[in-house]
Amino acid sequence: MISQLTLGERQLALATSALVVALGLAMAVLGRGDLMGGQGFIVLLFGIAMLFAVMSGYYAPEPSSERLAQYYDDPIRAGIIVSMVWAIVAMFVGDWVAWLLAYPDMTFDAPWASFGRLRPVHTTGIIFGFGGNALIATSFHVLQRTSRTRLPDQFSPWFILVGYNLFCLLAVSGYLMGITQSKEYAEPEWYADIWLVVVWVTYLALYLRTLARRKEPHIYVANWYFMAFILVVAMLHIVNNLAVPLSLGSVKSYSLFSGVQDAMTQWWYGHNAVAFFLTAGFLGMMYYYLPKRAGRPIFSYRMSIIGFWGITFFYMWAGSHHLHYTALPQWVQTLGMTFSLMLLIPSWIAAANALLTLNGAWHKVRDDATLRFMMVAAVFYGLATFEGSFLAIRPVNSLSHYTDWTVAHVHAGTLGWNSMITFGAIYYLVPQLWKRPQMYSPALVEVHFWLAVAGTFVYVFAMWNSGIIQGLMWRTYNESGTLAYSFIDSVVVMHPYYVARGVGGLLFLIGSMIGFYNIWMTIRTARSSLRASADQPFAAPSSGGAMQAGE
C-alpha cells in the first residue's frame, strides 16, 4: 500500500493522517460530557492507526515509473476485502434483528442491543459498508479498463476508500451509542455527514480526472451509471442533511426543514438513494461484469442508453409515493405515483437487456455459478422494480404500507438484486486481481449460490405472507363497525413468519461466510508477485469499443 506511493504522496498521506488525529482530538476535547467525546476518540484512534500505517512504509524505495504503464489495482483489492468484512458483520446484525422480532428478550436488557439501535447498524453496514465499498472498488476497476488508462494518482483512491470507511465506522458506532438523526438511510449526524462530503468530492474529482485522460474515446455505458451514482448521491446527501448543530461539541443538530417539507425532502432523498446508490451504481456493475463473464456483447447498447436516461429522469420524481395518505398535497402524491409507474419501462429495459445478453451463453449459466449470480440478480431486479411500481399505486399502498410487505420488497431488491450482482462481480474479480485461474473452490461458489437463493426465497415469501396478513387484519371490521383485530392480535399471528424470516437470513449469512472463506483462501494461495503480470492499457485505441479494453 504505502510502498506504491511516491514520496510526495506519502507526505500528503502523513499530513492527512495528522489532520484526522487533530480533528479527533478536537472532537474529544470539545465534546467532553457529550457523546461527541466518544466519537472523537474513535476518530483519534483511527488517525493514529493511519499514522503508523504510513510511517511503516515511509522510507521504502519509491515505485519506478514502470508502474504508470499498469492499472492501479491495490485499492480495488482492499475494497473487495473490506466490503466482504462489512457484509459478514452487517448480515449477522441483520439476522439478529430478525430474530429479535420473534424473541424480543434477545436484547439481553442492553440499550445498545435494542432493535432501534441495531437496525440502522444493519442497514448502514449493508448499504454503505458492503454495497458502498463494492461500488467504489468495482468503479475503479471498470473505469480503468473501459478508459484504458491508469488512475491519475495513488493517494486519492486510498483517501476515498479509507475516508469512506471512517464515515461508516462513525455511523455504526454512533448508532450503538444512541446517536441518530432519525432519517431513513441518513441517520449519521452532522459531523459524519461533513466528512463524507469531503470524501465524496474527492471521489468525483478522481473519476472526472480519469475520464479526462482516457485513451478510449468512447465512454462505456457502465461509466454513465457510475457517474450518475456519484453525482446524484452527492446532491441528495448535501440537501437532505442540511442542518444546524447545537454546538461544535454536541452531536445533536436540527434540520433546516420542518413538517411536511422535511418529510418530502427525506423521501426525495430516500427513494433516490435507492435509485442512484442501490440501482444506478449496481447497474454499472451489471453492464460490465455480466457481458465479460458471459463472453457476449451487450444485447443492445441503445437500450442501455435509453434505460439510463429513463431511470435518471423518472426516479427523481418518485419519492412522494412513500407519503401516500399523509399531509403531503394530493397532487404531489399523485405525481410520485405516476412517475413510479413510468419507471417500470426503463427498469425492465435494463433487466431485459441483461437477460438477452445471455442469448447464446445459457450453457455457461448452467455450468458457471458466478454468471448464475449475475443472471439471478437481473431477474430479481426486474421483479423488484415491477413490485415497486405496483406498490406505489395508492389503493395498493393503503394495504401494503407500514406492513412487512414493504420489508419483503426491500429485501427482494437488496438480497436478490444488489447482493447477487455484487457477489457475482467479486467472484469474477478475485481470480483476476490475485492472478489465479479460478476461485479456490468452485464447488463452494455453488454452495454459496444455492444458500443465497434459498435464503432470499424463504425471507421474501415469509414477509410477503406476513405483510399481506397484517394489512388485511388491520382493515377488517366486524358487524358493529369496529376493528375485528387488535394490533397485538396481528403481532401474535406474525410469530411463525418472523421465525421463517430469521431462518432465511441465517441461510444467506452462512452462504456469505462460505463466500468470504473462499475469497480468503483464493487470496492466500495467490502468487507472491502480482505486479509481474499486471493488466496493462492497450497501446493503441481499438475500433471495437470500450468493452475490448484491457483485461
Side-chain angles (χ1 to χ4, degrees):
M1 172 182 170
I2 303 303
S3 63
Q4 290 300 301
L5 304 183
T6 64
L7 180 60
E9 289 171 335
R10 294 174 197 180
Q11 292 171 345
L12 185 56
L14 205 60
T16 304
S17 300
L19 179 61
V20 172
V21 170
L23 287 173
L25 186 60
M27 290 170 65
V29 172
L30 292 173
R32 59 187 184 278
D34 187 272
L35 292 174
M36 176 68 83
Q39 292 278 272
F41 277 112
I42 292 172
V43 175
L44 178 63
L45 293 174
F46 191 93
I48 291 172
M50 289 302 99
L51 274 175
F52 277 105
V54 175
M55 287 302 300
S56 66
Y58 186 82
Y59 294 103
E62 285 197 74
S64 68
S65 59
E66 294 177 1
R67 75 186 189 282
L68 300 178
Q70 300 170 348
Y71 295 126
Y72 189 41
D73 290 340
D74 285 356
I76 303 171
R77 296 187 186 98
I80 289 172
I81 295 170
V82 174
S83 177
M84 286 303 300
V85 170
W86 276 110
I88 301 304
V89 172
M91 288 179 193
F92 170 79
V93 174
D95 198 49
W96 183 0
V97 167
W99 287 108
L100 270 178
L101 293 173
Y103 304 102
D105 290 339
M106 288 178 66
T107 59
F108 314 114
D109 291 326
W112 63 267
S114 62
F115 182 91
R117 296 194 187 186
L118 289 179
R119 192 261 182 179
V121 171
H122 166 61
T123 55
T124 296
I126 286 295
I127 297 172
F128 299 113
F130 171 46
N133 278 288
L135 285 170
I136 291 171
T138 54
S139 69
F140 287 166
H141 181 264
V142 172
L143 175 62
Q144 292 183 93
R145 268 66 182 181
T146 57
S147 299
R148 290 191 294 107
T149 191
R150 180 185 170 92
L151 295 175
D153 69 271
Q154 288 85 214
F155 171 77
S156 296
W158 283 113
F159 174 77
I160 293 163
L161 190 66
V162 175
Y164 180 76
N165 280 280
L166 174 57
F167 163 78
C168 293
L169 184 61
L170 285 174
V172 296
S173 62
Y175 305 150
L176 296 175
M177 296 164 67
I179 301 170
T180 178
Q181 283 191 114
S182 300
K183 289 186 173 187
E184 185 75 358
Y185 311 135
E187 289 95 339
E189 272 288 1
W190 63 274
Y191 53 91
D193 291 334
I194 292 173
W195 175 253
L196 182 59
V197 170
V198 175
V199 172
W200 214 253
V201 169
T202 307
Y203 188 16
L204 173 61
L206 179 68
Y207 218 90
L208 292 175
R209 289 166 60 205
T210 308
L211 284 175
R213 62 202 299 270
R214 69 187 185 277
K215 298 173 184 175
E216 168 60 49
H218 178 73
I219 299 178
Y220 183 61
V221 68
N223 288 314
W224 291 42
Y225 282 98
F226 280 124
M227 278 299 297
F229 148 65
I230 298 169
L231 277 169
V232 179
V233 166
M235 178 177 67
L236 298 170
H237 174 77
I238 291 171
V239 174
N240 189 52
N241 288 293
L242 291 173
V244 178
L246 190 62
S247 71
L248 292 178
S250 174
V251 296
K252 178 64 179 173
S253 66
Y254 292 95
S255 173
L256 288 187
F257 307 102
S258 61
V260 73
Q261 289 83 10
D262 190 36
M264 183 63 250
T265 305
Q266 160 58 28
W267 282 110
W268 168 78
Y269 163 89
H271 198 74
N272 282 296
V274 172
F276 291 93
F277 201 102
L278 293 175
T279 300
F282 290 92
L283 283 173
M285 275 192 213
M286 185 188 75
Y287 270 117
Y288 182 82
Y289 294 111
L290 187 144
K292 276 292 187 182
R293 190 68 180 190
R296 305 283 299 172
I298 278 289
F299 173 75
S300 170
Y301 201 84
R302 183 172 295 175
M303 283 174 65
S304 70
I305 301 301
I306 294 172
F308 171 82
W309 287 112
I311 287 171
T312 301
F313 179 70
F314 291 158
Y315 250 121
M316 278 292 174
W317 304 88
S320 58
H321 75 234
H322 288 266
L323 297 168
H324 284 327
Y325 304 103
T326 67
L328 198 71
Q330 185 85 349
W331 71 268
V332 182
Q333 298 178 34
T334 303
L335 184 73
M337 177 180 71
T338 304
F339 274 93
S340 298
L341 289 171
M342 290 192 292
L343 260 174
L344 187 60
I345 298 170
S347 298
W348 272 30
I349 284 175
N353 207 7
L355 294 174
L356 289 170
T357 299
L358 296 173
N359 284 346
W362 285 104
H363 61 287
K364 295 183 181 180
V365 176
R366 179 193 63 206
D367 300 329
D368 183 1
T370 298
L371 186 58
R372 213 177 308 130
F373 268 107
M374 301 179 191
M375 182 275 292
V376 169
V379 171
F380 267 99
Y381 176 66
L383 292 173
T385 50
F386 170 78
E387 185 181 33
S389 296
F390 182 65
L391 293 177
I393 301 171
R394 192 179 287 109
V396 179
N397 197 266
S398 69
L399 173 67
S400 70
H401 209 47
Y402 308 117
T403 74
D404 290 330
W405 191 350
T406 302
V407 178
H409 168 60
V410 169
H411 284 81
T414 53
L415 297 178
W417 157 234
N418 299 118
S419 295
M420 292 292 192
I421 191 64
T422 301
F423 287 134
I426 288 175
Y427 281 133
Y428 171 86
L429 276 174
V430 168
Q432 291 206 9
L433 292 176
W434 276 274
K435 310 305 173 189
R436 304 299 296 157
Q438 61 182 14
M439 290 297 297
Y440 169 75
S441 172
L444 288 181
V445 180
E446 285 281 353
V447 172
H448 181 190
F449 172 79
W450 289 112
L451 282 171
V453 169
T456 301
F457 273 102
V458 171
Y459 190 114
V460 172
F461 274 97
M463 290 297 96
W464 273 339
N465 279 277
S466 67
I468 293 170
I469 291 172
Q470 279 177 332
L472 292 174
M473 289 182 72
W474 295 348
R475 66 196 301 176
T476 301
Y477 294 86
N478 55 31
E479 293 179 355
S480 62
T482 60
L483 288 173
Y485 304 101
S486 69
F487 181 76
I488 295 301
D489 290 334
S490 69
V491 173
V492 172
V493 172
M494 292 306 104
H495 185 266
Y497 297 108
Y498 287 158
V499 172
R501 175 192 197 177
V503 171
L506 184 60
L507 291 174
F508 204 94
L509 171 61
I510 293 171
S512 300
M513 294 173 70
I514 290 171
F516 183 79
Y517 169 78
N518 202 4
I519 290 166
W520 185 249
M521 292 304 295
T522 305
I523 294 170
R524 284 193 61 187
T525 56
R527 299 187 184 97
S528 58
S529 177
L530 297 174
R531 295 181 187 87
S533 56
D535 292 344
Q536 298 180 3
F538 285 175
S542 167
S543 60
M547 282 306 293
Q548 280 74 41
E551 198 53 60

